[in-house]
Amino acid sequence: MMASLMSKPRGAQTIPVSFIVNGKAYELEVEPHELLLDVIRDRLGLTGAKRSCDVEVCGACTLLLDGRPVSACTLPAFEARGRQVQTIEGLAENGKLHPLQQAFIEHGGFQCGFCTPGMILAAKAMLEENPDPTEEQIKHFMHGNICRCTGYKKIIESILAAAKKMRAPLSAKRKS
Amino acid sequence: MLRRFRLEEPETVQEASQLLARHGEAARIYAGGTELLLVMKEGLAHYERLVNVKKIPHLDEVKLTDGFVSIGALSTHRQLLFSPVVRRHLPAFAGMEANVANIRVREVGTIGGNLCFAEPHADPGTLLLALGAKVIAAKNTGQREILIEKFFVDAYETCLEPDELLTEIRVPRLPARSGVAYLKFGYLERPSVGVALFLSLDGNGKSVGDARIAVGCVGPTARRIQEAESLLEGKSVDEASRLIAEAGAAAARASQAISDLHGSQDYKEHIVGVLLKRAFRQAVEQCRQRVEG
């Protein structure tokens, strides 16, 4: 029963989607109603982004689309046509954690981890437009990412620490 | 779970309007989907077709004209927050956009989608009422200008005809010696109460010229409250500030507040008064800065 419900009916519309996920090119056919979160998790096997509130409130499904945070739980996959998708799996480079990932571990921002991929991706988008945020600016940008395990103090400290580290090579360059 | 639908992707307003005319209630415009897809996922609404209007060019432009700021309906909240024209000429609007929902909704949701969805707990409509905005509705055979007061009919209902698209929002440029404030309150993602006030001072800067007061989120639609406005108009600033509590009470009474998950009627009515007082102080301060500056 389930299989027949899930299979594609004859004559269903498909849309070709070419996109780059974590630097790798993919070409898929999606139906209009397929959500980006399902395509990324079920077809690409990238399960870092989580389905949680399912109503764009909690941020656990956050992905970056052309560098900007979106709720993948409510975004049709066709919206990714021709665009760059970043998931948490693509953040570490050559086996080295991204400064945000490292800071979340070192400063206790990483708790159960369900919200962490979304937190880190949202923070990355924020730091790209504002490399030196105040605590207030972090709170404002991040208020749509909810952590149900603990408070936000350690998360904010982690982001501040990562921001400082990420600025360091910039200021070193400026000095030289 | 989102049920299957067909996607149409017209490249002109005319094509989009023709699709709406052809498919009637079975089709709906998709302009960002941050609200539409939620109700479709919940099974509260189902459309056989979504008409994605994002391939229609120029609908996301923001321009300054002689008399007004023209905002394309497909501008996202985030685009409007960063638009130099909006920041310079409608700073209160940029401020409102900075606080719509959350960052992910601001990135994807559009102003046109927001207005057409007519969700009662939304910010932009309330502020646009106080700003005296108009919207442009286009269809295959032409277009018309609608006062924003006439646009919102009921919760989730606008005055758009079945084959019309909202293409543009026109916000009059602010006169000298004027101020605008939008304040909201809520402890959930969506605001419980939103209050917007536009105020202009007369020539000598001593008394209130025009006042426009709008209250949103508390009832089925955002609404202008002329009873409250007329209490302030023509009064000296001191007199108006003494009358502001009375104006708040009038605004609360006329706001059609209802009791719901966001708070009881009494509670919302009280907050309307509190926010109007604060909005008045902010708007007067802006008026004075613009007089002195």
Side-chain angles (χ1 to χ4, degrees), chain B residues 154-223:
Chain B
D154 205 341
Y156 308 102
E157 195 184 334
T158 70
C159 73
L160 285 182
E161 289 169 16
D163 59 345
E164 275 183 327
L165 286 76
L166 190 155
T167 54
E168 182 189 344
I169 298 120
R170 293 181 176 170
V171 187
R173 291 176 64 172
L174 297 178
R177 304 166 201 276
S178 66
V180 185
Y182 174 71
L183 294 172
K184 65 167 165 179
F185 176 80
Y187 59 91
L188 300 169
E189 183 87 357
R190 294 177 184 278
S192 312
V193 180
V195 171
L197 169 68
F198 163 88
L199 211 61
S200 70
L201 299 188
D202 67 5
N204 62 16
K206 295 266 185 327
S207 56
V208 175
D210 289 324
R212 286 193 294 267
I213 295 170
V215 177
C217 308
V218 301
T221 69
R223 42 199 301 132

Side-chain angles (χ1 to χ4, degrees), chain A residues 13-27:
Chain A
Q13 182 186 16
T14 55
I15 300 170
V17 173
S18 310
F19 61 161
I20 311 268
V21 182
N22 299 332
K24 195 173 155 194
Y26 289 86
E27 281 183 29

Side-chain angles (χ1 to χ4, degrees), chain A residues 9 13 15 31-33 54-57 59 62 68-69 71 73-74 76 79 81 129 140 143-145, chain B residues 2-7 9 30 34 37-38 41 52 54-55 78 98-99 101-104 106-108:
Chain A
Q13 182 186 16
I15 300 170
E31 289 186 65
H33 71 283
D54 221 9
V55 290
E56 307 170 294
V57 167
T62 301
R68 305 307 309 162
S71 289
C73 74
T74 310
E79 288 285 13
R81 282 174 297 188
E129 66 180 34
H140 181 257
H143 95 268
N145 285 76
Chain B
L2 194 53
R3 283 168 61 190
R4 284 196 165 81
F5 57 84
R6 281 195 77 80
L7 185 71
E9 303 202 278
Y30 169 87
T34 54
L37 290 193
L38 286 186
K41 273 164 66 179
N52 178 13
K54 292 206 243 179
K55 290 198 168 170
R78 192 90 171 138
N99 293 296
N102 61 47
I103 182 68
R104 301 177 309 279
R106 293 196 287 275
E107 289 284 355
V108 176

Side-chain angles (χ1 to χ4, degrees), chain B residues 129-130 132 149 211-215 222-227 229 254:
Chain B
L129 278 164
E149 279 100 314
R212 286 193 294 267
I213 295 170
V215 177
R223 42 199 301 132
R224 274 274 295 274
I225 317 272
Q226 268 140 352
E227 304 89 302
E229 295 168 359

